[in-house]
Amino acid sequence: MNTVKTVRELRAAVSQARKEGKQIAFVPTMGNLHAGHAALVEKAAQRADFVVASIFVNPLQFGPSEDLDKYPRTLAADQDKLLAAGCNLLFHPDVAEMYPHGMDGQTRVSVPGISEGLCGASRPGHFEGVATVVSKLFNMVQPDLAIFGQKDFQQLAVIRTLVRDLNMPIQIIGEPTVRAEDGLALSSRNGYLNTEQRAIAPLLYRQLQAMAAAIQAGERDYPKLVEAAQQQQREAGFKPDYLEIREANSLRPASQVDSQLVILVAAVIGSTRLIDNLAFDLAS
Ligand code: PAF
């Protein structure tokens, strides 16, 4: 596996693969890779002949009080994991390579509607930063397909929408969340949790499962379910951010007739914000 740091080297390597008739798959990441990322790369290797991954901690998607500086940078370990998962090329640009004209005047991509609410409400500007960097990366790599984790459910919906609206010829594939044995969704931010917080963290997924089971059993008083779960979060030591039941495709608040639903949660423990979600179909 080759690691390149410039767009020029990236384009040369990808165009060589194209000349050889290879299908290109792309897995964008911010590094500090775990088994969830490895699953995305493995999927990419099954679906295409040439797998490009990127590691770039994108300043544009971090708010001023967020963890940009402390976000873990673990390049050597990440390279080993990417290689083992079947990656052919790693693009690891620095900020000046991605934003050579600075970030202030950078053209932005914003995806209205689907970016609003949920993480969009708690993290103003976050999805504009994600949509902008993903658009840039897509133009740099020009993959046939790109793979994202469903753990960032709203992010995946934002990316599907931008690809549709900007007519990008890229197939977007969402892969199921990889979880620890106790149900906690794998995330680079889990590394911030101390032992006590780590023990409490799986509550979020248990709540999603319990809420989905209640809805499947006929419960339709969504505000009651949400209030009870957030109360339980507070008692366990979380600061609830949001807990919402939405229609799974549009992400609008779920009505009583919707059958494809997703429950999305964000809650803070200590100074770590965790998110998770569970999608299910009432008709099945
Ligand atoms: O999900 C992530 O790791 C990031 O938001 C992404 C898609 C790599 C864009 O920086």
Side-chain angles (χ1 to χ4, degrees), residues 28-30 37 56 58 61 126 130 133-134 148 152 155 159:
T29 81
M30 298 203 303
H37 297 107
F56 178 62
N58 173 34
Q61 70 188 73
H126 170 67
V130 170
V133 82
V134 168
F148 294 84
D152 296 297
Q155 167 173 284
I159 290 163

